[in-house]
Amino acid sequence: LPREFLDFLGENGLDPSIYVPRYVRVKPGLRELEGELACEPETVDWLPGFYSLPPRVQIAGTKAYREGKLYGIDAASGAAVLALSIAEGDHVLDLCAAPGAKLCMMLDALGDSGSVTGVDVSEHRLAACRTMLQKYAIGDWCRLFVADGTTFSVSPARFQEWTSRRPWKERKRAAKARPEIIFYGKHSGVVGLIKDDLGYDKVLVDAECTHDGSIRHIQKFEQWGWETLQQRVLNAERTDNLTLLQLKLLINGFRLLKVGGTLVYSTCSLTVAQNEDVVEQFLKENASAVLQEIDAAASWPCKSGRIPKTLRFDPSTSQTSGLFVAKFTKV
């Protein structure tokens, strides 16, 4: 690793050895894959339905992958979804949904009721989510919006369709103001805007970050050129802009959460600025936000963040990519 990045790790109290790669994949109970993959998938004991594979193994060429029977997702990302404790009938908001693996896991947990609303500002990346929903045939209870997560305001509930009995000019203005919907599952609810809705039961804000905790992302700099690391990861101005974006996403996600609901904030950055600092600022500005213990974490291979009740995953502790997780409720 270049000296600049080693200094960056040192400033954040991180050991460079955490970047020894190991990948974790999900596989929904398909033990017959052992022959096709030429390896024995290893059960991730602390995360139901997850298996680890050696880094050399490629799943994209397998029959099971082509048929939509498995998909890749880091175990730490799976833990962020598990922290939401999604139950059947929940209306769930994924405010930064692309590229879609966590969205798929949410829909698996949801069952045949409730809804999942996926939002992302990038139409190209959200189209990848749509492809995943279609490939895995799990989109009936999901809808996808191309929208700015800091201002998104679409209700989760079923109510009178927004086009009904409104004057034509009012309907036209409303259409222009609406986020663009690019996927609409047949059981995902009526699309519309409403001010007095109670909000979503569960919200995930897996915010845009510098991705410095992602092994796969850091490895890409070998192709991109290590000289670009300064601009993409280490640049202080970019980090300041990101932390402001992260705070805005967290504030809006919490605004859309109903009283008594659960919100999980996560990033795959290992820095304090994008994690604990954002949480501290958010708590100062939102008296109705309360940090919660993550009950399921009792068996997780992670450590506490610098704020009590927050958690950190990293390759050396967890054998996953890095991830910060904080869980809130609204009182």
Side-chain angles (χ1 to χ4, degrees), residues 29-322:
L30 299 175
R31 299 302 298 181
E32 63 270 20
L33 273 182
E34 294 179 11
E36 188 175 355
L37 295 173
C39 73
E40 183 176 352
E42 187 175 326
T43 301
V44 179
D45 294 333
W46 56 275
L47 198 58
F50 276 64
Y51 297 80
S52 63
L53 303 175
R56 60 176 174 78
V57 175
Q58 300 294 323
I59 66 170
T62 66
K63 180 180 177 182
Y65 179 81
R66 292 194 302 270
E67 293 179 350
K69 295 180 179 178
L70 66 92
Y71 54 90
I73 177 174
D74 193 87
S77 297
V81 175
L82 199 63
L84 281 170
S85 300
I86 294 172
E88 289 191 15
D90 279 345
H91 292 291
V92 186
L93 173 63
D94 187 354
L95 202 55
C96 306
K102 289 185 289 296
L103 192 76
C104 291
M105 186 175 171
M106 289 178 185
L107 287 160
D108 286 337
L110 193 67
D112 293 333
S113 59
S115 67
V116 176
T117 298
V119 178
D120 204 276
V121 71
S122 168
E123 182 174 1
H124 174 72
R125 284 168 54 82
L126 200 63
C129 291
R130 179 178 59 195
T131 299
M132 288 190 73
L133 295 180
Q134 293 167 338
K135 176 179 179 180
Y136 297 110
I138 54 175
D140 283 353
W141 305 91
C142 185
R143 57 189 184 173
L144 301 178
F145 289 93
V146 179
D148 183 346
T150 65
T151 58
F152 181 75
S153 60
V154 176
S155 160
R158 295 177 181 271
F159 53 89
Q160 188 176 17
E161 190 172 357
W162 73 280
T163 55
S164 63
R165 297 185 181 180
R166 288 189 180 185
W168 180 83
K169 288 185 178 180
E170 185 178 345
R171 297 202 308 268
K172 187 175 181 181
R173 286 195 299 270
K176 289 183 177 180
R178 281 171 50 202
E180 179 187 359
I181 187 164
I182 67 168
F183 183 86
Y184 177 52
K186 61 183 179 181
H187 300 306
S188 61
V190 177
V191 178
L193 297 166
I194 191 168
K195 292 183 179 179
D196 59 352
D197 186 75
L198 294 177
Y200 291 86
D201 300 287
K202 309 287 169 62
V203 176
L204 176 64
V205 181
D206 187 45
E208 173 63 25
C209 67
T210 52
H211 304 290
D212 54 87
S214 170
I215 296 167
R216 296 184 65 186
H217 184 79
I218 293 300
Q219 285 181 320
K220 291 177 182 178
F221 285 98
E222 292 181 350
Q223 286 77 45
W224 294 342
W226 288 108
E227 67 278 2
T228 65
L229 187 73
Q230 179 67 40
Q231 178 183 353
R232 295 181 183 230
V233 175
L234 308 180
N235 183 277
E237 182 179 352
R238 179 171 188 262
T239 300
D240 289 345
N241 290 336
L242 273 176
T243 55
L244 179 59
L245 170 63
Q246 290 156 353
L247 181 59
K248 287 181 176 180
L249 288 167
L250 182 50
I251 289 171
N252 194 46
F254 191 73
R255 181 182 68 83
L256 294 167
L257 182 70
K258 75 175 187 181
V259 174
T262 298
L263 182 148
V264 167
Y265 172 76
S266 61
T267 82
C268 61
S269 172
L270 296 170
T271 67
V272 173
Q274 297 176 68
N275 297 315
E276 286 91 345
D277 287 355
V278 171
V279 168
E280 285 184 345
Q281 185 63 33
F282 170 71
L283 290 172
K284 287 179 183 178
E285 298 178 9
N286 294 270
S288 60
V290 178
L291 270 172
Q292 297 287 296
E293 293 279 1
I294 301 175
D295 296 334
S299 62
W300 292 356
C302 57
K303 54 191 177 184
S304 176
R306 297 193 184 186
I307 299 175
K309 300 180 182 179
T310 65
L311 300 176
R312 282 178 171 270
F313 290 81
D314 65 59
S316 61
T317 302
S318 318
Q319 296 184 323
T320 68
S321 288

